Amino acid sequence: MNLTLKIWRQKDASSKGAMVEYKVTDISEHMSFLEMMDVLNEQLINTGEAPVAFDHDCREGICGMCSMYINGQAHGPDRGVTTCQLHMRSFKDGDVITIEPFRAAAFPVIKDLVVDRTSFDRIQHAGGYISVNTSGNTQDANAIPISKHAADEAMDAAVCIGCGACVATCKNSSAMLFVGAKVSQYALLPQGQVEAPDRVKNMVAQMDLEGFGNCTNTGACEIECPKGISLDTIARMNRELMKANI
Amino acid sequence: MATLDSKVPEGPIKDKWTNYKNHIELVNPANKRHIDVIVVGTGLAGGSAAATLAELGYNVKAFAYQDSPRRAHSIAAQGGINASKNYMGDGDSDYRLFYDTVKGGDYRSREANVYRLAEVSGNIIDQCVAQGVPFARDYGGLLDNRSFGGVLVSRTFYAKGQTGQQLLLGAYSAMNRQIARGKIEMFNRHEMLDVVKIDGKARGIIARNLITGELERHSAHAVVIATGGYGNVYFLSTNAMGSNVTAAWKVHKRGAFFANPCFTQIHPTCIPRSGDYQSKLTLMSESLRNDGRIWVPAKLEDAKAIQEGRLKPTQIPEEDRDYYLERRYPAFGNLVPRDVASRAAKERCDAGYGVNATGEAVYLDFASAIERYGKEQAKLKGLNNPSKEEIIKLGQDIIKAKYGNLFQMYEKIVAENPYETPMMIYPATHYTMGGVWVDYNLMTTVPGLYCIGEANFSDHGANRLGASALMQGLADGYFVLPYTIGDYLADDIQTGKIPTNTPEFDAVENEVKERIEFFVNNKGSKSVDYFHKKLGKIMWDKVGMSRNEKGLKEAMAEIKALREEFWKDVNVPGNANEMNAELEKAGRVADFLELGELFAKDALTRNESCGGHFREESVELEGEQKGEAKRNDEEYAFVSAWEYKGEPADAVLHKEHLEFNDIELKQRSYK
């Protein structure tokens, strides 16, 4: 198929960006979206133009690196996938596709479609861990029984890949789904309970400091999350925070 | 010149590590504050090492080319991690894990290292559970296990199909705690481009800030390479796009020997390729082989009809299917090790029985598992006389709970529903067993330079059993390196900060700068990917699953010629002082073009079939094992450790003879 791409080009963080139009031809429906971008870049290199910078790595939907905003949706039109899992069979011949970087004040653009998501790391530095030392002298793993239900629910929260689609898609640029997922994983497990109040308070404080907005229960984050993280995690985070503040 | 001394401690194998730990030098906690360590790479090995070294009190500088340590490719590992906990009471022990790993590796790993790996494996699970890794649990609240290829016990701990993700996030959280304490200084979006030696010791690195293009000098008392494998030398592999050999190759060029480069694992359960535009391959966890049965049509005409789209797999009756693994290997069946399963798939496809348009795929069928689980569930739920639909629905729910994310991933890529029609799979390059040579301390032939995880060579021999990569990465990082590095650093407590304004740093930085300037000024006519794809094709065709002398010699000549063309005609757009993905790739492909030739040279010198490497000249001609790969222990029970001498073809071979005192060398049989 033949497509028209409208792509955000921006030289670096301090330059002004603009939408630029490109044509690509002979795109197979079996290609992934990123392979289509590879084809475009090969074409740009061969004609002496600068290729489009975009983040990508594992191309299996798990590293969380790819971060495109496609036709007004984080990771494009399909549900439950990252951009690298989106295939061209979701588009048709002659389509015009608009491609932008994830937009949020806390995710500044580095170049073209590449944004800086280290604010997520800093939230984790503020408390996204259990303070156990790594000496190898911990107790036997089966000394901490955990109900299957709790372990499964913790796992459902822990699968967050930190891609930032929740933030990009939220009208408030809120990071609550991300932080809620992390807080939920630890809240559901017996390990690390002693520091739970500080954990949630510190992570939420850092989230605010980074310039993420608040949650107004729109639920767009849950819909766009490639890993199906539930809004329940936000409720749990709020409950944990309230508990910590009492 | 560096020599090969494996430094394996004396004494019985089960006491080696304990005795060793009791006698190595320790660094006083107050002195650790005066010692800096650089860790390059932040996957399972690098992340766990950085966290533990910081915990011990060293000042750690950690480097990752991604925007966050959480994105290292360890995150994509699916199936699980082994540990000899014997929670299942099925007879597992440290010795059995050790035995399976050495046998699975086709007797080309170092016995003492593997025993140590088995010995610390239980600690890994304890550590990860304490960190909040949500491993699968049974209904009693205790940890659950599953079984993997090449073994007869259930020792694999897992977190759905995302075990690597959860273990990496555990190590990442441990790092975060140390970053918050200021004990780890994290450098995201930085790539190590060379190592700096002072008085023969590794004392620092030159790194490029991938956002600004700036070259930076970082010094330390020791440098740890934890940058994973080099499977991307094939272009198409299951590795992440950015996975590269650069750090390992640069240390090789500075004196670290490179061991067994030709030992690459071909993984049997990958999604087959669909076209030339394809950028990479996707792995489906091997754990699927627990419940999936592998088959191809028994009749050539059926295979042809399937290839042409005239027949569907579900239309082929049971008696016309060839479950070739169950037929050839009755004891292990679908759970034979990866090399055996891969070779058997290739054999059937080469014979014309492949099941997709290109003829390069076999079926992985869940129909009988779905029915079996469905019946069990119906019984548990007390359903009398359930309909077939009900049984299938119940069975599908169980399969979904076990492998749901893998099925979803398959459906997204192939656009077919694997609950209803068998998956198609084909072998692909997955993990590299070769790597930088290290001694028992995980130190390379360069003093002060360590190498851990997939980037080193020591633990997996010629083939890696499932769920053992995660184990090795974390064992090295959490429990081995933190001890062994202290023995070396004990001599450095008086050294003080290593200055970076020295002639040694100047010289290496200049070399790095010249190379970068060459790339951006060359203005050739062909893209970096053009060369990478060509290299990959030579590697797959002539240095892939099946190799022969003629092909390997051709490959060496072709890679050399391609490398010369690359240096004349490569086109790298953009500048050096900006974010420039093509420039990053150019440096990496330049290194792959050298490694590829050494890889072929290593394969040429090893005239035996071993692990994933089938040498056509070496095959069993008679007996029960007729047609199987033939290993040659008299001549090849050694590690090939290559010393750099300029051109890859001039590399000098050093042999570390492998001694097997605790395991009898014998032919692997999975019949």
Side-chain angles (χ1 to χ4, degrees):
Chain A
M1 56 184 121
N2 302 325
L3 303 164
T4 303
L5 308 174
K6 290 183 172 175
I7 303 180
W8 182 259
R9 302 300 309 260
Q10 182 174 338
K11 196 174 176 323
D12 53 38
S14 52
S15 304
K16 210 174 153 202
M19 298 299 287
V20 180
E21 203 171 290
Y22 300 98
K23 302 259 186 223
V24 283
T25 52
D26 287 335
I27 297 299
S28 150
E29 59 166 16
H30 296 299
M31 284 182 186
S32 72
F33 195 84
L34 297 186
E35 283 165 351
M36 184 277 294
M37 293 294 289
D38 293 341
V39 169
L40 168 71
N41 273 349
E42 190 77 11
Q43 183 181 314
L44 292 176
I45 293 166
N46 289 335
T47 54
E49 270 189 78
V52 180
F54 60 94
D55 266 333
H56 64 101
D57 203 18
C58 79
R59 297 204 178 188
E60 294 181 15
I62 190 80
C63 77
M65 193 86 174
C66 53
S67 56
M68 290 178 202
Y69 212 66
I70 301 161
N71 286 344
Q73 278 182 288
H75 296 303
D78 283 12
R79 290 284 293 271
V81 295
T82 54
T83 304
C84 64
Q85 295 171 302
L86 174 67
H87 278 69
M88 296 313 291
R89 63 180 79 95
S90 301
F91 299 89
K92 58 183 192 306
D93 189 40
D95 273 0
V96 178
I97 306 175
T98 306
I99 309 168
E100 300 161 87
F102 277 6
R103 289 172 295 188
F107 287 171
V109 172
I110 295 174
K111 182 176 184 172
D112 295 340
L113 305 174
V114 178
V115 298
D116 179 354
R117 284 168 286 184
T118 46
S119 45
F120 271 14
D121 285 325
R122 289 187 293 271
I123 294 172
Q124 303 266 70
H125 301 162
Y129 49 78
I130 291 173
S131 298
V132 56
N133 93 25
T134 54
S135 64
N137 293 320
T138 45
Q139 62 186 326
D140 184 85
N142 261 351
I144 318 171
I146 301 172
S147 84
K148 181 167 167 51
H149 181 72
D152 287 350
E153 234 186 318
M155 180 68 198
D156 289 342
V159 295
C160 166
I161 57 172
C163 66
C166 49
V167 172
T169 205
C170 174
K171 63 181 189 281
N172 309 319
S173 296
S174 167
M176 284 215 187
L177 196 70
F178 170 77
V179 181
K182 211 65 216 169
V183 167
S184 287
Q185 178 194 341
Y186 293 130
L188 286 158
L189 298 172
Q191 304 96 309
Q193 283 301 327
V194 286
E195 55 189 331
D198 286 340
R199 175 183 303 119
V200 67
K201 279 198 276 190
N202 292 342
M203 288 179 81
V204 169
Q206 186 65 34
M207 175 179 86
D208 291 342
L209 204 65
E210 294 289 346
F212 291 105
N214 257 315
C215 174
T216 47
N217 292 316
T218 309
C221 54
E222 183 185 74
I223 291 169
E224 296 298 345
C225 173
K227 298 297 158 185
I229 306 283
S230 152
L231 279 178
D232 296 353
T233 60
I234 297 181
R236 192 177 289 105
M237 178 183 80
N238 286 332
R239 195 163 63 231
E240 288 286 306
L241 188 63
M242 216 180 306
K243 216 162 69 184
N245 283 325
I246 292 170
Chain B
M1 190 199 75
T3 51
L4 282 180
D5 176 2
S6 68
K7 303 218 173 81
V8 171
E10 295 298 315
I13 198 152
K14 65 177 182 29
D15 301 329
K16 280 184 198 287
W17 179 230
T18 308
N19 287 341
Y20 171 87
K21 283 194 292 182
N22 287 339
H23 293 100
I24 49 173
E25 299 277 340
L26 295 178
V27 181
N28 169 330
N31 285 330
K32 289 187 182 124
R33 286 197 289 275
H34 305 302
I35 292 180
D36 306 324
V37 181
I38 284 173
V39 179
V40 187
T42 53
L44 283 176
S48 57
T52 312
L53 293 171
E55 175 91 55
L56 288 170
Y58 298 108
N59 308 310
V60 177
K61 284 179 162 187
F63 293 81
Y65 74 76
Q66 293 99 340
D67 69 334
S68 164
R70 66 168 296 144
R71 312 217 196 272
H73 196 54
S74 305
I75 203 151
Q78 295 164 348
I81 178 167
N82 287 336
S84 58
K85 284 282 204 184
N86 196 27
Y87 282 163
M88 294 294 150
D90 53 4
D92 202 8
S93 64
D94 290 352
Y95 180 82
R96 279 193 189 276
L97 175 53
F98 159 64
Y99 176 87
D100 287 341
T101 308
V102 171
K103 177 187 172 197
D106 228 347
Y107 306 91
R108 292 293 175 264
S109 47
R110 191 189 284 146
E111 235 187 17
N113 286 56
V114 182
Y115 195 90
R116 175 175 64 188
L117 175 68
E119 201 178 334
V120 304
S121 64
N123 273 343
I124 298 174
I125 305 303
D126 300 340
Q127 177 71 45
C128 294
V129 166
Q131 282 168 350
V133 171
F135 282 120
R137 300 269 164 173
D138 63 22
Y139 284 93
L142 302 181
L143 289 153
D144 201 4
N145 287 126
R146 62 184 171 203
S147 138
F148 253 64
V151 301
L152 297 170
V153 293
S154 268
R155 64 160 71 101
T156 306
F157 294 78
Y158 64 102
K160 286 201 175 152
Q162 288 121 295
T163 315
Q165 176 192 36
Q166 291 310 313
L167 294 172
L168 182 68
L169 293 181
Y172 165 72
S173 73
M175 281 184 82
N176 284 333
R177 180 165 159 258
Q178 301 301 332
I179 293 170
R181 289 176 67 209
K183 290 304 291 181
I184 295 179
E185 197 182 347
M186 184 66 221
F187 295 86
N188 297 326
R189 293 198 197 265
H190 274 66
E191 181 166 33
M192 168 185 158
L193 292 179
D194 217 329
V195 64
V196 180
K197 288 192 336 193
I198 297 173
D199 298 331
K201 296 175 176 174
R203 291 299 201 187
I205 63 168
I206 303 295
R208 182 169 179 269
N209 177 328
L210 300 180
I211 298 178
T212 63
E214 215 171 321
L215 293 181
E216 296 174 4
R217 301 175 181 197
H218 295 277
S219 69
H221 298 87
V223 175
V224 181
I225 303 295
T227 49
Y230 50 85
N232 270 355
V233 68
Y234 285 96
F235 186 73
L236 284 183
S237 80
T238 63
N239 288 7
M241 300 298 287
S243 296
N244 64 82
V245 76
T246 289
W249 193 250
K250 291 294 163 45
V251 303
H252 171 56
K253 291 175 89 164
R254 300 275 175 205
F257 289 4
F258 205 99
N260 299 337
C262 80
F263 286 165
T264 306
Q265 180 173 71
I266 312 288
H267 199 293
T269 49
C270 300
I271 299 179
R273 48 174 278 169
S274 57
D276 286 335
Y277 53 80
Q278 198 144 342
S279 58
K280 79 180 287 282
L281 296 168
T282 301
L283 174 78
M284 303 297 289
S285 167
E286 179 183 36
S287 64
L288 292 173
R289 287 198 280 144
N290 272 315
D291 284 313
R293 297 177 72 196
I294 294 175
W295 63 276
V296 290
K299 296 181 191 160
L300 257 182
E301 63 264 29
D302 284 352
K304 208 163 171 350
I306 283 184
Q307 288 161 14
E308 289 165 4
R310 289 183 282 117
L311 201 61
K312 288 192 165 58
T314 43
Q315 293 169 307
I316 297 185
E318 198 65 23
E319 60 272 21
D320 289 340
R321 299 176 177 193
D322 176 15
Y323 295 92
Y324 58 88
L325 289 176
E326 298 168 31
R327 166 170 62 78
R328 284 176 62 175
Y329 309 100
F332 282 73
N334 293 297
L335 285 175
V336 291
R338 295 173 174 184
D339 58 330
V340 178
S342 297
R343 234 178 357 257
K346 184 171 189 292
E347 189 275 329
R348 282 294 80 192
C349 292
D350 288 350
Y353 294 89
V355 295
N356 65 353
T358 63
E360 288 187 332
V362 299
Y363 287 128
L364 179 61
D365 196 336
F366 291 86
S368 55
I370 287 171
E371 197 175 325
R372 188 176 73 240
Y373 284 126
K375 281 183 181 155
E376 190 181 300
Q377 285 299 307
K379 206 159 208 162
L380 281 170
K381 290 185 167 29
L383 294 177
N384 284 324
N385 205 10
S387 69
K388 182 139 196 209
E389 286 70 37
E390 278 176 305
I391 289 173
I392 286 174
K393 171 77 186 53
L394 289 167
Q396 284 181 349
D397 287 347
I398 297 292
I399 293 289
K400 190 169 194 173
K402 289 178 96 165
Y403 314 108
N405 71 308
L406 300 170
F407 275 55
Q408 185 220 14
M409 190 168 83
Y410 181 87
E411 191 170 353
K412 287 291 167 199
I413 292 174
V414 183
E416 273 183 10
N417 180 351
Y419 292 100
E420 284 162 14
T421 183
M423 284 183 182
M424 289 180 292
I425 53 164
Y426 196 67
T429 308
H430 178 54
Y431 188 95
T432 50
M433 270 74 57
V436 179
W437 185 90
V438 290
D439 63 18
Y440 189 72
N441 298 327
L442 306 181
M443 189 154 87
T444 68
T445 45
V446 174
L449 181 66
Y450 290 78
C451 188
I452 61 176
E454 187 181 353
N456 78 21
F457 87 102
S458 56
D459 292 12
H460 304 304
N463 174 50
R464 184 176 65 76
L465 286 183
S468 63
L470 305 185
M471 176 173 63
Q472 190 215 343
L474 291 180
D476 285 1
Y478 281 135
F479 304 127
V480 180
L481 180 78
Y483 285 99
T484 62
I485 204 170
D487 191 43
Y488 172 82
L489 291 171
D491 291 337
D492 258 334
I493 54 177
Q494 307 273 4
T495 309
K497 269 255 174 280
I498 312 281
T500 57
N501 57 347
T502 62
E504 291 89 348
F505 274 94
D506 291 346
V508 178
E509 187 183 307
N510 276 336
E511 281 185 45
V512 172
K513 195 178 280 168
E514 276 171 25
R515 175 178 265 225
I516 289 173
E517 278 167 8
F518 167 83
F519 283 134
V520 292
N521 293 323
N522 191 50
K523 306 289 173 224
S525 70
K526 296 191 178 80
S527 71
V528 176
D529 274 356
Y530 167 87
F531 293 99
H532 197 177
K533 284 180 183 173
K534 278 203 133 178
L535 172 67
K537 184 152 173 39
I538 299 170
M539 293 297 296
W540 183 250
D541 288 347
K542 295 179 175 170
V543 204
M545 284 171 73
S546 177
R547 309 160 181 179
N548 60 49
E549 187 184 338
K550 181 170 163 284
L552 290 169
K553 284 183 175 159
E554 286 166 5
M556 283 184 69
E558 287 168 25
I559 294 168
K560 183 168 189 279
L562 186 65
R563 190 167 62 240
E564 282 163 8
E565 191 191 346
F566 172 85
W567 285 104
K568 276 195 202 110
D569 204 20
V570 69
N571 173 21
V572 177
N575 300 310
N577 60 352
E578 60 181 5
M579 177 174 262
N580 187 339
E582 286 297 309
L583 175 60
E584 293 165 28
K585 271 199 286 189
R588 294 168 189 166
V589 171
D591 293 333
F592 278 132
L593 283 164
E594 293 180 357
L595 164 81
E597 190 180 337
L598 183 69
F599 190 131
K601 181 182 163 98
D602 184 45
L604 184 62
T605 55
R606 191 171 283 274
N607 188 7
E608 65 165 344
S609 296
C610 193
H613 141 208
F614 188 72
R615 185 66 183 255
E616 288 161 22
E617 295 91 336
S618 188
V619 55
E620 295 288 346
L621 296 174
E622 53 203 280
E624 196 199 17
Q625 299 288 326
K626 191 173 172 194
E628 299 287 325
K630 186 181 177 201
R631 204 177 67 229
N632 179 345
D633 293 324
E634 283 77 49
E635 290 176 77
Y636 297 102
F638 61 78
V639 174
S640 307
W642 296 95
E643 184 183 6
Y644 182 76
K645 291 283 183 190
E647 285 286 302
D650 301 333
V652 172
L653 176 64
H654 298 259
K655 294 177 184 175
E656 179 196 339
H657 287 277
L658 292 168
E659 283 178 34
F660 294 90
N661 300 316
D662 289 81
I663 290 182
E664 186 198 348
L665 278 176
K666 59 181 179 191
Q667 180 161 38
R668 282 199 303 161
S669 171
Y670 293 92
K671 298 240 177 213

